[in-house]
Amino acid sequence: MTVQDSSALAALPVLGETALQTYPTATLYVVATPIGNVTDITLRSLHVLTLVDAIACEDTRNTAHLLQRFGIHKPLVAAHMHNEREAAEVLVRRLQAGERIALVSDAGTPGVSDPGAKIVDAVIAAGLRVVPLPGASAAITALSASGLVNDQFHFVGFLPSKGKQRETVLHGLRGVTATLVFYEAPHRIVDCAQALAEAFEPTRQVVFARELTKLFEEIHRCPLAEAAAWLQADSHREKGEYVVLLEGAPAATDAGDAEAERILGILLAECSVKQAASLAAQITGRKKNALYERALALKGE
């Protein structure tokens, strides 16, 4: 953008509309912050951050740095996963006194795999108002660039770090037809890809979205069978936060088939193929032979 372009935008009347809107007191404003590119913050969010009496944040250092870049100076209240209940009590009292409070996380939308949900719950329980300000979300950003054609998505968030627990969760997701959305840390991304390959059909499409909106953003789509090899082909791919999208299961012919497959997936995490098929047949009333064949396909045998 040139200087002239920037000046022309700054003169647009729409930029003044933020100040003409209503911002009630005794209200918690849930504000989404950039996930990487600082210019992704919204005009409305910036206005509210200048208007509130205090800002509740996940890490006061990170939020102070963000505010400094926009010339905003406000009192900060620590509200992270270790003190969220206590922070909620403090914030409710301040809201009851008529203050405006903004709630932010380090990046993205509060309450989505980040602290914030307990605070919002406490504010609602106290009969106070909550106003959400939409903005950046890593999950939605990745979905929009994935090309996975599906009207539904199932947000899983971070998988358990322990292998057995992760396996159990993944087996329970085998029959889900919606696109599956995971968050993953860089040091666990290869383990995640290998766990997905063991739990799902190798032909399913998987999308790795790394460092979204940042300088080294990378979005790669491939069959699940090729995922681990792609990650290991470049050491830089084991750096940066990931959103992982997995193609959903083929749609079942009816709700009964979907439920049978869900049960079968859970049983396969603990039983052999034969045992899982037998137990699923007893639970669902479906034919054991058909369930056995489906179990073999799910196991990749």
Side-chain angles (χ1 to χ4, degrees):
M1 179 181 293
T2 66
V3 173
Q4 289 80 6
D5 290 335
S6 178
S7 299
L9 287 173
L12 290 175
V14 70
L15 297 184
E17 289 188 15
T18 55
L20 300 177
Q21 297 175 13
T22 302
Y23 301 94
T25 57
T27 298
L28 180 73
Y29 293 87
V30 183
V31 181
T33 54
I35 59 176
N37 191 319
V38 70
T39 61
D40 285 339
I41 196 164
T42 70
L43 297 172
R44 185 171 170 229
S45 294
L46 285 175
H47 183 71
V48 165
L49 291 175
T50 64
L51 188 68
V52 295
D53 297 288
I55 299 171
C57 53
E58 185 177 0
D59 188 315
T60 55
R61 294 165 299 181
N62 290 339
T63 299
H65 178 67
L66 174 68
L67 296 176
Q68 185 179 30
R69 298 189 70 177
F70 292 104
I72 300 172
H73 303 280
K74 290 290 176 177
L76 302 179
V77 179
H80 47 74
M81 64 181 294
H82 302 296
N83 78 336
E84 200 169 353
R85 288 294 185 192
E86 296 82 358
E89 295 176 5
V90 172
L91 296 174
V92 165
R93 288 197 296 269
R94 294 186 65 163
L95 291 168
Q96 288 171 333
E99 292 190 12
R100 299 182 183 96
I101 305 287
L103 173 65
V104 303
S105 64
D106 284 348
T109 303
V112 182
S113 281
D114 274 328
K118 292 177 182 177
I119 291 172
V120 172
D121 179 55
V123 171
I124 292 172
L128 295 161
R129 185 170 179 178
V130 176
V131 173
L133 276 67
S137 167
I140 301 302
T141 302
L143 272 167
S144 71
S146 71
L148 296 175
V149 182
N150 196 327
D151 291 336
Q152 299 179 326
F153 68 91
H154 181 100
F155 181 73
V156 181
F158 287 96
L159 289 166
S161 58
K162 294 183 178 179
K164 191 63 178 178
Q165 294 175 351
R166 183 172 56 208
E167 181 182 346
T168 300
V169 171
L170 292 177
H171 278 283
L173 295 170
R174 282 176 163 176
V176 176
T177 56
T179 298
L180 300 175
V181 184
F182 306 92
Y183 285 166
E184 193 53 273
H187 66 279
R188 298 194 324 194
I189 189 62
V190 173
D191 289 343
C192 173
Q194 291 171 340
L196 291 174
E198 291 171 3
F200 298 92
E201 301 89 338
T203 55
R204 286 207 200 188
Q205 291 289 303
V206 63
V207 176
F208 295 101
R210 182 176 74 89
E211 293 286 83
L212 287 170
T213 79
K214 300 177 184 177
L215 180 62
F216 297 106
E217 175 182 277
E218 187 172 20
I219 301 173
H220 177 75
R221 176 171 152 177
C222 64
L224 190 52
E226 302 172 9
W230 178 79
L231 289 166
Q232 293 170 316
D234 185 342
S235 61
H236 290 96
R237 291 174 185 155
E238 294 183 52
K239 299 177 182 178
E241 299 298 319
Y242 270 90
V243 181
V244 181
L245 310 174
L246 185 65
E247 184 180 17
T253 55
D254 58 42
D257 286 347
E259 178 64 8
E261 183 149 328
R262 187 186 72 83
I263 292 170
L264 190 59
I266 294 171
L267 292 170
L268 280 169
E270 305 293 337
C271 308
S272 67
V273 169
K274 185 176 181 180
Q275 290 173 320
S278 178
L279 289 170
Q282 294 177 48
I283 295 169
T284 65
R286 302 272 162 166
K287 293 182 179 180
K288 185 168 69 173
N289 288 345
L291 289 169
Y292 181 79
E293 292 299 323
R294 184 58 188 147
L296 286 175
L298 290 173
K299 274 286 190 181
E301 298 178 5

